[in-house]
Structure formats: structure tokens, C-alpha cells
Amino acid sequence: MRFSALRVLKEGLTGNKGWTSHWRDPAPKDEYDIVIIGGGGHGLSTAYYLAKNHGYSNIAVLEKGYIGGGNIGRNTTIVRANYFLQGNSEFYSHSLKLWENLENDLNYNVMHSQRGLINLFHSDGQRDAFVRRGNSMINQGDDAILLDREGVRKHLPYLDFDNTRFPIYGGLLHPRGGTARHDAVAWGYARGADQRGVDLVQNCEVTGIDIENGKVRGVQTTRGAIKAKKVGIVVAGRSGQVAEMAGMRLPIESHILQAFVTEGLKPVIDHVVSFGMGHFYMSQSDKGGLVFGGDLDFYASYASRGNLPMKEHVMEAGMTLMPMIGKAKVLRSWGGIMDMTPDGSPIIDKTDIDGLYIDCGWCYGGFKAVPGSGFSFAHLMATDQHHAPAAKYRLDRFRTGRGLMDEEGKGSQHNLH
Ligand SMILES: Cc1cc2nc3c(=O)[nH]c(=O)nc-3n(C[C@H](O)[C@H](O)[C@H](O)COP(=O)(O)OP(=O)(O)OC[C@H]3O[C@@H](n4cnc5c(N)ncnc54)[C@H](O)[C@@H]3O)c2cc1C
């Protein structure tokens, strides 16, 4: 089933009876060439690119819950390529290029909206840091425009410029940054993978990883044993638990990140805005809700709801930046379990076990990374060669200390990144 304007018109005129399910609901087979553990954004995009770019079809994605129930359906949907360090810069640049053709590629409306992202700065030192970041983005071939205070006011007149604790000095505009509809990204990749023969098996939790003589043989699941020649672990906040099934101890801590959505308002914020004096970012969804996010809750946890102090912190930052936010009612908030590495950058690598691969550590940056991560991880799993844009995401950098990518400059404290 292909989506097109003609099809929508025809279905509209004939009672919408012709739509079919986006993907099948297969029972797991006894054996696959490749098993992907985790049906989040990264697992689904990996399966999609394994099928599309490398010709695999005997693949299963095993998801313990339902497709879209993890962080892929819980994030604040920001998509950008504004990283500073080599390694991250080329990876996110590649991912953004994939985003820009994603709807055509998947034949699916993921509502990708390049509305522009503005990072505010509030001191001379911060301005210098953003100038360096902007230059790094431009050198990578991406877009960055430095705005002074009046430049920011032109784009974001509703911010508090005149009576605020942290005066706005200016901002770095990334015009190709923006948002997308998170569930639709999961559904689009799921549908695309299914169409290429991938089995998406929901309600199937992996409970063990079978290894013989240093080689992976398959997995144990709540729906029986499944043999596989290769296995990819792509389970975000559960990475430590699943890797432990293979006897590995990962340099990952799991923390909660919360999101907040207000009642629907008339269009007011037409960019993504990121505050520089506290971790706070906001945009407005197509339904009108203001969407806010902040920092991780600063303790390790597997609970998928957050605590009150972080809620207070996020609301305070919002009020400081844009006092009229105080009049909007927050309707919903929730948390997601995030996988944070010591340098805040991710991992896409082979493990010491033959045939076992891992893709994790995305934490804050994992939604925008979905296309690039799936593309690069599929390349690695299919060819055993690192894909150039993701070649620096090595697991052993935490063992050797070489090649760390501490984008935030916050050292080895997971919870500070
Ligand atoms: C509140 C919040 C806001 C965010 N905002 C942004 C943002 O604005 N921009 C951005 O780029 N990123 C953002 N992120 C980060 C991004 O959402 C994540 O980094 C990314 O979604 C993680 O990858 P994933 O989609 O594969 O994870 P998930 O969707 O969590 O997928 C992992 C899947 O693995 C499954 N699983 C776990 N254990 C097992 C098992 N044993 N067997 C089978 N399946 C298993 C889980 O059920 C889950 O579905 C945000 C995250 C949160 C929580």
C-alpha cells in the first residue's frame, strides 16, 4: 500500500475502507540471519537499512512491549546537526541529510519540519563558544548564522529581553534544525522494514543471549529460543541489562529524562528555542501544545517517570525566558529511560563476542540520530566495517581513554552531560 494524495482522496470518497495494517504481526520463526533486540527508533531503522541497503530479509526485530512505546515515542522531537566535535559533527550531519529525504524514502509523513533552531547565549564567553560551534558546523557543510540581541528579538519577539535575570546577548541560528513527529518515525520505519520482509515481533522480551565458544548463536525470549547468526543490541535505557546477558559490563548509566506538554495554544513559537542559562528547550507542536524539556534527573533509575525537583527546574527556566509561559497549563508529563555514556557520545560497535553488535549511549541526542544510527549500524552489521560518519563511536574508547568525545566538556560524570 503506497500513500499518495490520490489515494487519500479515493479513500475519503469511499469510506476509508481500503487502508490496511502498516505491518504484519508475525509469530517468531526458529531462526533468522539477524536478530535486532529492541523495536525503538534505532532498532527499526537498523532493520530497515539492513534490508534496503544490504539485501537482508531474514531479520527479526524483537520488542518486549509495543512498537513506539519506548523513548522513540517519548522525546521532545528536536532534530539538528549542530555538534562541535569531530566524530559527532560528521555523524549528525549525515543523519540530517537522511532526515531531509526521509518522507520520500519511507513514503510516510513523519512531519519533519525544518523550522529553525536557536541556541541563546547570555554572556561574552558563551558567545565565543557558540561562534566556535557555528564555525565547526559550517566547516562540516551545515548551516549556522550568528544573531546578535536584535537579531534574536526579530525571530523571537516574545522572549523577555528587558527585565530578565540572564540578559540575552544573541543566539546561534541553525535554519535546518527543527522537529518531526516521533511516533510517525517509528511507524514509518516499521512499515518500511515490514514491506522488505522484516518480522517485527512485539511482546517478545529477550531474556538471554546464547553464546558458544565466543560466538553468538541466538537469543532466549519470552516466546521461545530463536537462533541467529548475528545479534544487535539496540535497547536504549536497558542497554546495561541486556549486555549483562552476554556477560558484558557497559560504560552506561540509565537516567530519566522528562518531557512536558501544555494545553493547545494558537501558534506562538515557530522555532525550536534553547535557553543558555540552564538546560531548557521548547517548541510548539502542530496540535498547539508547547513542548518543554530539561536536564536528566540526576540519579540512575529504571523508573519511567521523573521527580518533582526537575519539573520545578524546567518550569522556572521557562518562566525566566518567557514569562507568559506561566499562564499556560501543563497537561501532561512523562519520562523515558536514557542511556548515558561517560563522555556523552554514543557507541556503535562490535563487541568482543563474534556476531554480537551494540548500538547505544544516545541519551539526549537519540531522536535526531535515528536515521544515521540505523544506517551506520546496518553497515557495520552487514559488512563488519565501520561506516565512516560513525567510525569514532568505539566502545573501547572508555577502556583506553583514547578518542573520547566530550562534547559538553563535563568530564566523566554521566549525570552531568
Ligand atoms: C523526554 C525525552 C526527550 C527527548 N528529546 C529528544 C530530542 O528532542 N531530540 C533527540 O534527538 N533525542 C531526544 N531524546 C532521546 C531519544 O528519544 C532517545 O535517545 C532515543 O529514542 C533512544 O533510542 P530508541 O528510539 O531506539 O529507544 P527506545 O524507543 O527506548 O527503544 C528501545 C526498545 O528496546 C526495548 N527493549 C528493552 N529491553 C528489551 C528486551 N530485553 N527485549 C526486547 N526489547 C527490549 C524497549 O521496550 C524499547 O522499545 C529524548 C528522550 C526523552 C525520554
Side-chain angles (χ1 to χ4, degrees), residues 79-123:
V79 174
R80 57 187 166 89
N82 62 350
Y83 284 70
F84 174 58
L85 294 181
Q86 235 192 344
N88 284 328
S89 189
E90 59 265 37
F91 173 82
Y92 285 100
S93 182
H94 177 243
S95 195
L96 185 57
K97 289 192 187 97
L98 293 174
W99 274 106
E100 286 170 334
N101 190 39
L102 195 59
E103 291 170 339
N104 282 333
D105 188 22
L106 297 177
N107 175 232
Y108 205 85
N109 182 8
V110 302
M111 296 167 73
H112 182 214
S113 157
Q114 293 185 293
R115 57 187 66 183
L117 173 140
I118 299 181
N119 279 95
L120 299 171
F121 47 81
H122 310 263
S123 68

Side-chain angles (χ1 to χ4, degrees), residues 19-81:
W19 302 118
T20 54
S21 302
H22 280 16
W23 56 85
R24 299 162 294 130
D25 187 20
K29 292 193 283 192
D30 294 339
E31 190 165 353
Y32 290 94
D33 291 333
I34 297 185
V35 157
I36 302 293
I37 310 174
H42 294 245
L44 294 166
S45 63
T46 302
Y48 175 78
Y49 292 116
L50 274 167
K52 180 177 175 231
N53 296 353
H54 304 281
Y56 281 91
S57 58
N58 190 25
I59 307 174
V61 176
L62 308 181
E63 167 52 49
K64 77 171 178 182
Y66 60 94
I67 297 295
N71 291 339
I72 186 64
R74 291 167 177 266
N75 60 71
T76 46
T77 78
I78 300 169
V79 174
R80 57 187 166 89

Side-chain angles (χ1 to χ4, degrees), residues 293-314:
D295 257 321
L296 296 176
D297 281 9
F298 290 127
Y299 55 90
S301 170
Y302 287 116
S304 54
R305 52 191 265 187
N307 69 27
L308 286 170
M310 190 50 70
K311 288 187 172 60
E312 190 180 4
H313 168 85
V314 168

Side-chain angles (χ1 to χ4, degrees), residues 145-268:
I145 300 170
L146 193 70
L147 303 174
D148 62 11
R149 182 181 156 91
E150 290 315 307
V152 173
R153 198 197 289 269
K154 230 169 94 194
H155 286 284
L156 314 175
Y158 45 80
L159 298 186
D160 185 358
F161 287 86
D162 303 316
N163 186 30
T164 183
R165 182 164 167 218
F166 302 110
I168 294 168
Y169 279 43
L172 188 66
L173 168 64
H174 172 35
R176 285 163 63 228
T179 59
R181 164 109 195 242
H182 47 15
D183 320 279
V185 175
W187 301 332
Y189 273 115
R191 172 174 170 270
D194 176 86
Q195 283 173 345
R196 287 169 170 77
V198 175
D199 282 356
L200 306 176
V201 187
Q202 303 181 75
N203 299 311
C204 182
E205 179 171 358
V206 170
T207 53
I209 298 179
D210 297 331
I211 299 161
E212 267 173 38
N213 302 324
K215 184 166 174 36
V216 80
R217 299 288 175 199
V219 292
Q220 298 291 325
T221 79
T222 46
R223 298 178 68 175
I226 300 174
K227 292 194 188 119
K229 297 186 183 79
K230 294 184 177 183
V231 173
I233 302 175
V234 204
V235 292
R238 300 283 175 181
S239 297
Q241 290 178 330
V242 174
E244 203 179 2
M245 296 174 195
M248 294 165 59
R249 185 154 181 264
L250 291 182
I252 295 272
E253 277 186 10
S254 292
H255 290 263
I256 304 307
L257 181 65
Q258 304 187 56
F260 307 89
V261 179
T262 70
E263 61 193 318
L265 303 174
K266 287 187 177 167
V268 51

